[in-house]
Amino acid sequence: LQTVKKIALIVGGGTGSRMGSDVPKQFLSLAGKPVLFHTLEKFRDIADHIVLVLPDAQFHYWKRLCTDHHFDLPHILVAGGATRSQSVFNGLQSLNADGVVAIHDAVRPLVSEQLITTLFNDAITHGSAVPVIPVRESLRKKSGKAVNREDYLIVQTPQCFRIDDIMAAYIHAGNSSFSDDASVFECNGGAIHTVEGESGNFKITFREDLAAAEAMITSIK
Amino acid sequence: LQTVKKIALIVGGGTGSRMGSDVPKQFLSLAGKPVLFHTLEKFRDIADHIVLVLPDAQFHYWKRLCTDHHFDLPHILVAGGATRSQSVFNGLQSLNADGVVAIHDAVRPLVSEQLITTLFNDAITHGSAVPVIPVRESLRKKSGKAVNREDYLIVQTPQCFRIDDIMAAYIHAGNSSFSDDASVFECNGGAIHTVEGESGNFKITFREDLAAAEAMITSIK
């Protein structure tokens, strides 16, 4: 396993509008530092390289945050696109490397290092590794009736793939819209290997999520 | 609308095991008082009667909580069954009344009074009213592939129905397993009227949910 390069591709976007805030969610303060610092640090001891995709309008703000907080974790900054898929594709294009890539949401700072390690290793063995958790709430189809939530899984990130496979899948997908990288991979014939995710590895989308994240970090320490 | 009786049926269960706690989730302290006090109080000014279904093993604990906290909101206590469905059925059987019933999870203390009012009124008009929100995370089928989350909705509570209709549906359902009351209603031919739910109206299932709830209550005050 040691010779396979492990790349973290962290994808940020958003405008913060759902948080009732002008600051994009990845920059909000969590336990004393920006959410994104927590996220990147989770990959520090595991990934060989970290690539961060952000809207280029946020580059200046991000660099100032890093300077102001003396945040010196090495990473490559890549400009995102108009959609999440385009941002991931831009990030993948910047990788001139073999190996495996973990594509991760910037706003999931609570993923554990153990899960990241498992996902990288499983992707090397199985060609893909995607964390999933059970559906906690009842589900129904918009155009129909209730469905059995036991038949479904919630998909988290990081989603790990061999770099050339996921790159080929993104090229094949073109401009189609997908909600996650596993879907893109699958539409090019890839088989998804699932791994048990973590209930604590949630996305910071709403104001209350930030408080929940803060409580988790405080209780872990 | 004023002549139709409005009943709140609050359903608690659980053993607290997922919280890493021996105390069932509805009894955990939230902003200084048990979760269930918050939940019941949301219905104080809206419902004509409040029925609380709890496992009978929790009756003594609950009554002591009420005494110790001088909690004097009038309500009827009904013994739950082995499953949520059986608990709801027990609660429905205790209602010797016409009108509409709002069946609500004990561990959703953050529902707004505005949403409760809308649901009661819509159930009177449409025969049912169920709060739904968009799916925030990617979904896949266990036995298959990714599905488009845009096609799905997450179903919350309170779920409101005419009492005789939901009672008939529960009798029709027998011992079948359903994840929510809307499914039971639907399986007896009922049509579900959906209402926009609230992201803050989440279930307190994990430890971090309690912290999120606490932050929401604090910021609202």
Side-chain angles (χ1 to χ4, degrees), chain A residues 18 108 132 135-147 149-156 179-180 182-183 186 192 194 199-200 202-203 205-209 211-212 215-216 219, chain B residues 108 132 135-147 149-156 179-180 182-183 186 192 194 199-200 202-203 205-209 211-212 215-216 219:
Chain A
R18 275 198 288 187
R108 292 192 195 261
V132 295
V135 179
R136 288 162 57 180
E137 312 226 39
S138 297
L139 275 185
R140 53 191 297 115
K141 291 202 81 166
K142 254 182 207 169
S143 60
K145 297 196 171 181
V147 298
R149 66 177 163 198
E150 304 285 335
D151 296 339
Y152 293 82
L153 295 163
I154 284 174
V155 187
Q156 304 183 321
S179 78
D180 71 345
S183 315
E186 226 162 33
I192 295 298
T194 57
S199 68
F202 53 83
K203 256 170 135 162
T205 308
F206 296 102
R207 185 189 51 186
E208 60 266 25
D209 300 328
M216 281 193 67
S219 73
Chain B
R108 293 190 195 262
V132 295
V135 179
R136 289 161 58 178
E137 313 226 37
S138 297
L139 275 184
R140 51 190 299 113
K141 289 202 82 165
K142 253 182 206 167
S143 59
K145 299 196 171 182
V147 297
R149 67 177 162 197
E150 304 283 335
D151 295 340
Y152 293 82
L153 294 164
I154 284 173
V155 187
Q156 305 182 321
S179 78
D180 71 347
S183 314
E186 228 162 32
I192 296 298
T194 57
S199 68
F202 52 83
K203 255 170 137 162
T205 308
F206 297 102
R207 186 189 48 185
E208 60 267 24
D209 300 328
M216 280 194 67
S219 73

Coordinates of all heavy atoms in Angstrom, one line a residue, chain A residues 18 108 132 135-147 149-156 179-180 182-183 186 192 194 199-200 202-203 205-209 211-212 215-216 219, chain B residues 108 132 135-147 149-156 179-180 182-183 186 192 194 199-200 202-203 205-209 211-212 215-216 219:
Chain A
R18 N -27.6 29.8 3.1 CA -28.5 28.9 3.9 C -28.2 29.1 5.4 O -28.9 28.7 6.3 CB -28.4 27.5 3.5 CG -29.3 27.2 2.4 CD -29.6 25.7 2.2 NE -28.4 25.0 1.7 CZ -28.4 23.7 1.3 NH1 -29.5 23.0 1.5 NH2 -27.3 23.2 0.9
R108 N -17.3 19.1 5.8 CA -17.4 17.9 6.6 C -16.1 17.8 7.5 O -15.3 16.9 7.2 CB -17.6 16.6 5.8 CG -18.9 16.5 5.1 CD -19.1 15.0 4.6 NE -20.1 14.9 3.6 CZ -21.4 14.4 3.8 NH1 -21.7 14.1 5.1 NH2 -22.2 14.3 2.9
V132 N -21.1 5.1 3.8 CA -22.6 5.1 3.8 C -23.1 4.9 5.3 O -22.4 4.3 6.1 CB -23.2 4.1 2.9 CG1 -22.9 4.4 1.5 CG2 -22.8 2.7 3.3
V135 N -30.5 5.4 6.7 CA -31.4 6.6 6.7 C -32.1 6.6 8.0 O -32.7 5.7 8.4 CB -32.3 6.5 5.5 CG1 -33.3 7.7 5.5 CG2 -31.6 6.4 4.2
R136 N -32.0 7.8 8.7 CA -32.6 7.9 10.0 C -34.1 8.3 10.0 O -34.9 8.0 10.9 CB -31.9 9.0 10.9 CG -30.6 8.6 11.3 CD -29.7 9.8 11.7 NE -30.4 10.6 12.7 CZ -29.9 11.7 13.3 NH1 -28.7 12.1 12.9 NH2 -30.5 12.3 14.2
E137 N -34.5 9.0 8.9 CA -35.8 9.6 8.9 C -36.6 8.8 7.8 O -36.1 8.2 6.9 CB -35.8 11.1 8.6 CG -34.7 11.8 9.5 CD -35.3 13.1 10.1 OE1 -36.4 13.1 10.5 OE2 -34.5 14.0 10.2
S138 N -37.9 9.0 7.9 CA -38.8 8.4 6.9 C -38.6 9.1 5.5 O -38.4 10.3 5.5 CB -40.3 8.4 7.3 OG -40.4 7.7 8.5
L139 N -38.8 8.3 4.5 CA -38.6 8.8 3.1 C -39.8 8.6 2.3 O -40.5 7.6 2.5 CB -37.5 8.0 2.4 CG -36.0 8.4 2.6 CD1 -35.2 7.5 1.7 CD2 -35.7 9.8 2.3
R140 N -40.1 9.5 1.4 CA -41.1 9.2 0.4 C -40.6 9.8 -1.0 O -39.8 10.6 -1.0 CB -42.5 9.8 0.8 CG -42.5 11.2 1.2 CD -43.9 11.6 1.8 NE -45.0 11.4 0.8 CZ -45.9 10.5 0.9 NH1 -46.0 9.7 1.9 NH2 -46.9 10.4 0.0
K141 N -41.2 9.3 -2.0 CA -40.9 9.8 -3.4 C -41.8 11.0 -3.6 O -43.0 11.0 -3.3 CB -41.1 8.7 -4.4 CG -40.1 7.6 -4.4 CD -39.9 6.9 -5.7 CE -39.0 7.6 -6.6 NZ -38.6 6.8 -7.8
K142 N -41.2 12.0 -4.3 CA -42.0 13.2 -4.5 C -43.2 12.9 -5.4 O -44.3 13.4 -5.2 CB -41.1 14.2 -5.3 CG -40.6 15.4 -4.5 CD -39.8 16.3 -5.3 CE -38.8 17.1 -4.4 NZ -37.8 17.8 -5.2
S143 N -43.0 12.1 -6.4 CA -44.1 11.8 -7.3 C -44.8 10.5 -6.9 O -45.3 9.8 -7.8 CB -43.4 11.6 -8.7 OG -42.5 10.5 -8.6
G144 N -44.8 10.1 -5.7 CA -45.5 8.9 -5.3 C -45.7 8.7 -3.9 O -46.2 9.6 -3.2
K145 N -45.3 7.6 -3.4 CA -45.7 7.3 -2.0 C -44.5 7.0 -1.1 O -43.3 7.2 -1.5 CB -46.5 6.0 -2.1 CG -47.8 6.2 -2.8 CD -48.8 5.0 -2.6 CE -50.2 5.4 -3.2 NZ -51.1 4.3 -2.9
A146 N -44.8 6.6 0.1 CA -43.7 6.3 1.0 C -42.8 5.2 0.5 O -43.3 4.3 -0.2 CB -44.3 5.9 2.4
V147 N -41.5 5.2 0.8 CA -40.6 4.1 0.4 C -40.1 3.6 1.7 O -40.1 4.3 2.7 CB -39.5 4.5 -0.6 CG1 -40.1 5.0 -1.9 CG2 -38.7 5.6 0.1
R149 N -37.3 3.0 4.1 CA -36.0 3.6 4.3 C -34.9 2.6 4.5 O -33.7 2.9 4.3 CB -36.0 4.6 5.5 CG -36.2 3.9 6.8 CD -36.1 4.9 8.0 NE -36.7 4.3 9.2 CZ -37.1 5.0 10.2 NH1 -37.0 6.3 10.2 NH2 -37.6 4.4 11.3
E150 N -35.3 1.4 4.9 CA -34.3 0.3 5.1 C -33.7 -0.1 3.7 O -32.6 -0.7 3.7 CB -35.0 -1.0 5.6 CG -35.7 -0.8 6.9 CD -34.8 -0.7 8.1 OE1 -33.7 -1.2 8.0 OE2 -35.2 0.0 9.1
D151 N -34.3 0.3 2.6 CA -33.8 -0.1 1.3 C -32.8 1.0 0.8 O -32.2 0.8 -0.2 CB -34.9 -0.1 0.2 CG -35.9 -1.2 0.5 OD1 -35.5 -2.2 1.2 OD2 -37.1 -1.1 0.0
Y152 N -32.6 2.0 1.6 CA -31.7 3.1 1.2 C -30.6 3.4 2.1 O -30.6 3.0 3.3 CB -32.6 4.4 1.0 CG -33.6 4.4 -0.1 CD1 -34.8 3.8 0.2 CD2 -33.3 4.9 -1.3 CE1 -35.8 3.7 -0.9 CE2 -34.3 4.8 -2.3 CZ -35.5 4.2 -2.1 OH -36.4 4.1 -3.1
L153 N -29.6 4.1 1.6 CA -28.4 4.5 2.4 C -28.1 5.9 2.1 O -28.3 6.4 1.0 CB -27.2 3.6 2.0 CG -27.3 2.1 2.3 CD1 -26.2 1.4 1.5 CD2 -27.1 1.9 3.8
I154 N -27.6 6.6 3.1 CA -27.1 8.0 2.9 C -25.6 7.9 2.6 O -24.9 7.2 3.2 CB -27.4 8.8 4.1 CG1 -28.9 9.2 4.2 CG2 -26.5 10.1 4.1 CD1 -29.3 9.9 5.4
V155 N -25.2 8.6 1.6 CA -23.9 8.6 1.1 C -23.1 9.8 1.6 O -23.6 10.9 1.5 CB -23.8 8.6 -0.5 CG1 -22.4 8.3 -0.9 CG2 -24.7 7.5 -1.0
Q156 N -22.0 9.6 2.2 CA -21.1 10.7 2.7 C -19.9 10.8 1.8 O -19.8 10.2 0.8 CB -20.7 10.4 4.2 CG -21.9 10.1 5.1 CD -21.4 9.8 6.5 OE1 -20.4 9.2 6.8 NE2 -22.1 10.4 7.5
S179 N -25.3 14.1 -8.1 CA -25.2 14.7 -6.8 C -23.9 14.3 -6.0 O -23.5 14.9 -5.1 CB -26.4 14.3 -5.9 OG -26.3 13.0 -5.5
D180 N -23.2 13.2 -6.5 CA -22.0 12.8 -5.9 C -21.1 12.1 -6.8 O -21.5 11.7 -8.0 CB -22.2 12.1 -4.6 CG -22.7 10.7 -4.8 OD1 -23.2 10.4 -5.9 OD2 -22.7 9.9 -3.8
A182 N -19.7 9.1 -6.5 CA -20.0 7.7 -6.7 C -21.0 7.5 -7.9 O -20.9 6.6 -8.6 CB -20.7 7.1 -5.4
S183 N -21.9 8.4 -8.0 CA -22.9 8.3 -9.2 C -22.2 8.5 -10.5 O -22.5 7.8 -11.5 CB -23.9 9.4 -9.1 OG -24.4 9.6 -7.8
E186 N -20.2 5.3 -11.2 CA -21.1 4.2 -11.5 C -21.7 4.3 -12.9 O -21.8 3.3 -13.6 CB -22.3 4.3 -10.5 CG -22.7 3.0 -9.9 CD -23.6 3.3 -8.7 OE1 -24.4 4.3 -8.7 OE2 -23.5 2.5 -7.7
I192 N -19.3 0.3 -6.9 CA -19.1 1.0 -5.7 C -18.9 0.0 -4.5 O -19.8 -0.8 -4.3 CB -20.2 1.9 -5.4 CG1 -20.3 3.0 -6.4 CG2 -20.1 2.6 -4.0 CD1 -19.1 3.9 -6.5
T194 N -18.9 -0.1 -0.6 CA -19.3 0.8 0.5 C -18.6 0.4 1.8 O -18.2 -0.7 2.0 CB -20.8 0.7 0.7 OG1 -21.2 -0.6 0.9 CG2 -21.6 1.2 -0.5
S199 N -22.0 8.7 11.8 CA -23.1 9.7 12.0 C -22.6 11.1 12.3 O -23.2 12.1 11.9 CB -24.0 9.2 13.2 OG -23.3 9.3 14.4
G200 N -21.4 11.1 12.9 CA -20.8 12.5 13.2 C -20.2 13.1 12.0 O -19.8 14.3 12.1
F202 N -21.2 14.7 9.5 CA -22.2 15.4 8.8 C -21.7 16.7 8.1 O -20.7 17.2 8.4 CB -23.4 15.7 9.7 CG -23.0 16.4 11.0 CD1 -22.9 17.8 11.0 CD2 -22.8 15.7 12.1 CE1 -22.6 18.4 12.2 CE2 -22.5 16.3 13.3 CZ -22.3 17.7 13.3
K203 N -22.5 17.1 7.1 CA -22.2 18.4 6.4 C -22.7 19.6 7.3 O -23.8 19.5 7.8 CB -23.1 18.4 5.1 CG -22.4 18.1 3.9 CD -23.4 18.0 2.8 CE -23.0 18.7 1.5 NZ -23.7 18.2 0.4
T205 N -24.4 22.6 7.1 CA -25.3 23.2 6.1 C -26.1 24.3 6.8 O -26.3 25.4 6.2 CB -26.3 22.2 5.5 OG1 -25.5 21.1 5.0 CG2 -27.1 22.8 4.4
F206 N -26.6 24.0 8.0 CA -27.4 25.0 8.7 C -26.7 25.4 9.9 O -25.8 24.8 10.4 CB -28.8 24.4 9.0 CG -29.6 24.0 7.8 CD1 -29.7 22.7 7.3 CD2 -30.2 25.0 7.0 CE1 -30.4 22.4 6.2 CE2 -31.0 24.7 5.9 CZ -31.1 23.4 5.5
R207 N -27.2 26.5 10.5 CA -26.6 27.1 11.7 C -26.5 26.1 12.8 O -25.5 26.0 13.5 CB -27.5 28.3 12.1 CG -27.0 29.1 13.3 CD -28.1 30.1 13.7 NE -29.3 29.3 13.9 CZ -30.5 29.9 14.2 NH1 -30.6 31.2 14.3 NH2 -31.6 29.1 14.4
E208 N -27.5 25.2 13.0 CA -27.5 24.3 14.1 C -26.4 23.2 13.9 O -25.9 22.6 14.9 CB -28.9 23.7 14.4 CG -29.4 22.9 13.2 CD -30.4 23.7 12.3 OE1 -30.2 25.0 12.3 OE2 -31.2 23.1 11.6
D209 N -26.0 23.0 12.7 CA -25.0 22.0 12.4 C -23.7 22.5 13.0 O -22.9 21.7 13.5 CB -24.8 21.8 10.9 CG -26.1 21.3 10.2 OD1 -26.8 20.6 10.9 OD2 -26.3 21.6 9.1
A211 N -23.2 24.3 15.7 CA -23.3 24.1 17.1 C -23.0 22.6 17.5 O -22.3 22.3 18.4 CB -24.6 24.5 17.7
A212 N -23.6 21.7 16.7 CA -23.5 20.3 16.9 C -22.0 19.9 16.7 O -21.4 19.1 17.5 CB -24.3 19.5 15.9
A215 N -19.9 21.0 19.6 CA -20.1 20.2 20.8 C -19.3 18.9 20.6 O -18.7 18.3 21.6 CB -21.6 19.9 21.0
M216 N -19.3 18.3 19.4 CA -18.5 17.1 19.2 C -17.0 17.3 19.4 O -16.4 16.5 20.0 CB -18.8 16.6 17.8 CG -20.1 15.9 17.6 SD -20.2 15.0 16.1 CE -19.0 13.7 16.3
S219 N -16.2 17.7 23.0 CA -16.3 16.4 23.8 C -15.3 15.4 23.5 O -14.9 14.5 24.3 CB -17.7 15.8 23.7 OG -17.8 15.2 22.4
Chain B
R108 N -38.7 15.3 19.0 CA -38.6 16.5 18.1 C -39.1 17.7 18.8 O -40.2 18.2 18.6 CB -39.4 16.2 16.8 CG -38.9 15.1 15.9 CD -39.7 15.2 14.6 NE -39.6 14.0 13.8 CZ -38.7 13.9 12.8 NH1 -37.9 15.0 12.5 NH2 -38.6 12.8 12.1
V132 N -42.6 17.8 5.2 CA -41.5 17.2 4.4 C -40.5 18.2 4.2 O -40.8 19.4 4.1 CB -42.0 16.6 3.1 CG1 -43.0 15.4 3.3 CG2 -42.7 17.6 2.2
V135 N -34.1 16.2 0.7 CA -33.0 15.4 1.1 C -31.7 16.1 0.9 O -31.4 16.6 -0.2 CB -33.0 14.0 0.3 CG1 -31.8 13.2 0.8 CG2 -34.3 13.3 0.5
R136 N -30.9 16.3 2.0 CA -29.7 17.1 1.9 C -28.5 16.3 1.4 O -27.5 16.8 0.9 CB -29.3 17.6 3.3 CG -30.2 18.7 3.8 CD -30.1 18.9 5.3 NE -28.7 19.2 5.7 CZ -28.4 19.4 6.9 NH1 -29.3 19.4 7.9 NH2 -27.1 19.7 7.2
E137 N -28.5 15.0 1.7 CA -27.3 14.2 1.3 C -27.7 13.2 0.2 O -28.8 13.0 -0.2 CB -26.9 13.3 2.6 CG -26.9 14.2 3.8 CD -25.7 14.0 4.7 OE1 -24.6 13.8 4.1 OE2 -25.8 14.0 5.9
S138 N -26.6 12.7 -0.4 CA -26.8 11.8 -1.6 C -27.4 10.5 -1.0 O -27.1 10.1 0.1 CB -25.4 11.5 -2.2 OG -25.0 12.7 -2.8
L139 N -28.2 9.9 -1.9 CA -28.9 8.6 -1.5 C -28.5 7.5 -2.5 O -28.3 7.8 -3.7 CB -30.4 8.8 -1.7 CG -31.2 9.4 -0.5 CD1 -32.7 9.4 -0.9 CD2 -31.0 8.7 0.8
R140 N -28.4 6.3 -2.0 CA -28.4 5.2 -2.9 C -29.2 4.0 -2.4 O -29.6 4.0 -1.2 CB -26.9 4.7 -3.2 CG -26.1 4.5 -2.0 CD -24.6 4.2 -2.4 NE -24.5 3.1 -3.2 CZ -24.1 3.2 -4.5 NH1 -23.8 4.3 -5.1 NH2 -23.9 2.1 -5.3
K141 N -29.6 3.1 -3.3 CA -30.4 2.0 -2.9 C -29.4 0.9 -2.4 O -28.3 0.7 -3.0 CB -31.3 1.4 -4.0 CG -32.4 2.4 -4.3 CD -33.6 1.6 -5.0 CE -34.4 0.9 -4.0 NZ -35.7 0.5 -4.6
K142 N -29.7 0.2 -1.3 CA -28.9 -0.8 -0.8 C -28.6 -1.9 -1.8 O -27.5 -2.4 -2.0 CB -29.5 -1.5 0.4 CG -28.9 -1.1 1.7 CD -29.6 -1.8 2.9 CE -29.5 -1.0 4.1 NZ -30.4 -1.5 5.2
S143 N -29.6 -2.3 -2.6 CA -29.5 -3.4 -3.5 C -29.2 -2.8 -4.9 O -29.6 -3.5 -5.9 CB -30.8 -4.1 -3.5 OG -31.8 -3.3 -3.9
G144 N -28.7 -1.6 -5.0 CA -28.5 -1.1 -6.4 C -27.6 0.0 -6.5 O -26.5 0.0 -5.9
K145 N -28.1 1.1 -7.1 CA -27.2 2.2 -7.4 C -27.7 3.5 -6.8 O -28.7 3.5 -6.1 CB -27.1 2.3 -9.0 CG -26.6 1.1 -9.6 CD -26.2 1.3 -11.1 CE -25.4 0.1 -11.6 NZ -24.9 0.4 -13.0
A146 N -27.0 4.5 -7.2 CA -27.4 5.9 -6.7 C -28.8 6.2 -7.2 O -29.1 5.8 -8.3 CB -26.3 6.9 -7.2
V147 N -29.5 6.9 -6.4 CA -30.8 7.5 -6.9 C -30.7 9.0 -6.8 O -29.8 9.5 -6.1 CB -32.0 7.0 -6.0 CG1 -32.1 5.4 -6.2 CG2 -31.8 7.4 -4.6
R149 N -31.5 12.3 -5.4 CA -32.2 12.7 -4.2 C -33.3 13.8 -4.4 O -34.1 13.9 -3.6 CB -31.1 13.3 -3.3 CG -30.5 14.6 -3.8 CD -29.5 15.2 -2.8 NE -28.6 16.2 -3.4 CZ -27.5 16.6 -2.9 NH1 -27.1 16.1 -1.8 NH2 -26.8 17.5 -3.6
E150 N -33.3 14.4 -5.6 CA -34.3 15.4 -5.9 C -35.7 14.7 -6.0 O -36.7 15.3 -6.0 CB -34.0 16.1 -7.3 CG -32.7 16.8 -7.4 CD -32.7 18.1 -6.6 OE1 -33.7 18.7 -6.5 OE2 -31.6 18.5 -6.2
D151 N -35.7 13.4 -6.3 CA -36.9 12.6 -6.4 C -37.5 12.3 -5.0 O -38.6 11.7 -5.0 CB -36.7 11.3 -7.2 CG -36.3 11.6 -8.6 OD1 -36.5 12.7 -9.1 OD2 -35.7 10.7 -9.3
Y152 N -36.8 12.5 -4.0 CA -37.2 12.1 -2.6 C -37.5 13.2 -1.7 O -37.0 14.3 -1.9 CB -36.2 11.1 -2.0 CG -36.0 9.8 -2.8 CD1 -35.3 9.8 -4.0 CD2 -36.7 8.7 -2.4 CE1 -35.2 8.6 -4.7 CE2 -36.6 7.5 -3.1 CZ -35.9 7.4 -4.3 OH -35.8 6.3 -5.0
L153 N -38.2 12.9 -0.6 CA -38.4 13.9 0.4 C -38.2 13.2 1.8 O -38.5 12.0 1.9 CB -39.9 14.4 0.4 CG -40.3 15.2 -0.8 CD1 -41.8 15.3 -1.0 CD2 -39.6 16.6 -0.8
I154 N -37.7 13.9 2.8 CA -37.6 13.4 4.1 C -38.9 13.8 4.8 O -39.4 14.9 4.8 CB -36.4 13.9 4.8 CG1 -35.1 13.2 4.3 CG2 -36.5 13.8 6.4 CD1 -33.9 13.8 4.8
V155 N -39.5 12.8 5.5 CA -40.8 13.0 6.2 C -40.5 13.2 7.7 O -39.8 12.5 8.3 CB -41.6 11.8 6.0 CG1 -43.0 12.0 6.5 CG2 -41.7 11.4 4.5
Q156 N -41.1 14.3 8.2 CA -41.0 14.6 9.6 C -42.3 14.4 10.3 O -43.2 13.8 9.8 CB -40.6 16.1 9.8 CG -39.3 16.5 9.0 CD -39.0 18.0 9.3 OE1 -39.9 18.8 9.4 NE2 -37.7 18.3 9.4
S179 N -42.7 2.7 8.8 CA -41.8 3.6 9.5 C -42.4 4.9 9.9 O -41.9 5.6 10.8 CB -40.5 3.9 8.6 OG -40.9 4.9 7.6
D180 N -43.6 5.2 9.4 CA -44.3 6.4 9.9 C -45.8 6.2 9.6 O -46.3 5.3 9.0 CB -43.7 7.7 9.3 CG -44.0 7.8 7.8 OD1 -44.5 6.9 7.1 OD2 -43.8 8.9 7.3
A182 N -47.8 8.3 8.0 CA -48.2 8.6 6.6 C -48.3 7.3 5.8 O -49.2 7.1 4.9 CB -47.3 9.6 6.0
S183 N -47.3 6.4 6.0 CA -47.3 5.1 5.2 C -48.5 4.3 5.6 O -49.1 3.6 4.7 CB -46.0 4.3 5.6 OG -44.9 5.1 5.5
E186 N -51.6 5.8 3.9 CA -51.5 5.6 2.5 C -51.9 4.1 2.1 O -52.6 3.9 1.1 CB -50.1 5.8 2.0 CG -50.0 6.7 0.8 CD -48.6 7.2 0.7 OE1 -47.6 6.6 1.1 OE2 -48.4 8.4 0.3
I192 N -51.9 11.6 0.9 CA -51.1 12.5 1.7 C -51.0 13.9 1.2 O -50.5 14.1 0.0 CB -49.7 11.9 1.9 CG1 -49.7 10.5 2.6 CG2 -48.8 12.8 2.7 CD1 -50.3 10.6 4.0
T194 N -48.8 17.1 1.6 CA -47.6 17.5 2.2 C -47.5 19.0 2.5 O -48.1 19.8 1.8 CB -46.4 17.1 1.4 OG1 -46.5 17.7 0.1 CG2 -46.3 15.6 1.2
S199 N -36.1 22.5 8.7 CA -34.8 21.8 8.9 C -34.5 21.7 10.4 O -33.8 20.8 10.9 CB -33.6 22.6 8.2 OG -33.4 23.8 8.8
G200 N -34.9 22.7 11.2 CA -34.7 22.6 12.6 C -35.5 21.6 13.4 O -35.2 21.3 14.6
F202 N -35.6 18.5 13.8 CA -34.9 17.2 13.6 C -35.1 16.4 14.9 O -35.5 16.9 16.0 CB -33.4 17.4 13.4 CG -32.7 18.3 14.3 CD1 -32.2 17.8 15.6 CD2 -32.5 19.6 14.0 CE1 -31.6 18.7 16.4 CE2 -31.8 20.5 14.9 CZ -31.4 20.0 16.1
K203 N -34.9 15.1 14.7 CA -35.0 14.1 15.8 C -33.7 14.1 16.7 O -32.6 14.2 16.1 CB -35.1 12.7 15.2 CG -36.4 12.1 15.2 CD -36.4 10.8 14.4 CE -37.1 9.7 15.1 NZ -37.4 8.6 14.1
T205 N -31.4 12.1 18.1 CA -31.0 10.7 18.1 C -29.6 10.4 18.6 O -29.3 9.5 19.3 CB -31.1 10.2 16.6 OG1 -32.3 10.5 16.1 CG2 -30.9 8.7 16.5
F206 N -28.7 11.3 18.2 CA -27.3 11.2 18.6 C -26.9 12.3 19.6 O -27.6 13.4 19.6 CB -26.4 11.2 17.4 CG -26.6 10.0 16.5 CD1 -27.4 10.1 15.4 CD2 -26.2 8.7 16.9 CE1 -27.6 9.0 14.5 CE2 -26.4 7.6 16.1 CZ -27.1 7.7 14.9
R207 N -25.8 12.2 20.2 CA -25.3 13.1 21.2 C -25.2 14.5 20.6 O -25.6 15.5 21.2 CB -24.0 12.7 21.7 CG -23.4 13.5 22.8 CD -22.0 13.1 23.1 NE -21.3 13.0 21.8 CZ -20.0 12.5 21.6 NH1 -19.4 12.1 22.7 NH2 -19.5 12.5 20.4
E208 N -24.7 14.6 19.4 CA -24.5 15.9 18.7 C -25.8 16.6 18.4 O -25.9 17.8 18.3 CB -23.6 15.8 17.5 CG -24.2 14.9 16.4 CD -23.7 13.5 16.4 OE1 -23.3 13.1 17.5 OE2 -23.7 12.8 15.4
D209 N -26.9 15.8 18.3 CA -28.2 16.5 18.0 C -28.7 17.3 19.2 O -29.3 18.3 19.1 CB -29.3 15.4 17.8 CG -29.0 14.5 16.6 OD1 -28.3 15.0 15.6 OD2 -29.3 13.3 16.6
A211 N -26.7 18.9 21.3 CA -26.0 20.2 21.3 C -26.6 21.1 20.3 O -26.7 22.3 20.5 CB -24.5 19.9 21.0
A212 N -26.9 20.6 19.1 CA -27.5 21.4 18.1 C -28.9 22.0 18.5 O -29.1 23.2 18.3 CB -27.7 20.6 16.8
A215 N -28.3 24.8 21.0 CA -27.8 26.1 20.4 C -29.0 26.8 19.7 O -29.1 28.0 19.7 CB -26.8 25.7 19.3
M216 N -29.9 26.0 19.1 CA -31.1 26.6 18.5 C -32.0 27.3 19.5 O -32.4 28.4 19.3 CB -31.9 25.5 17.7 CG -31.3 25.2 16.4 SD -32.5 24.2 15.4 CE -33.7 25.5 15.1
S219 N -30.4 30.5 20.7 CA -30.3 31.6 19.8 C -31.7 32.2 19.5 O -31.9 33.3 19.1 CB -29.7 31.1 18.5 OG -30.5 30.3 17.7

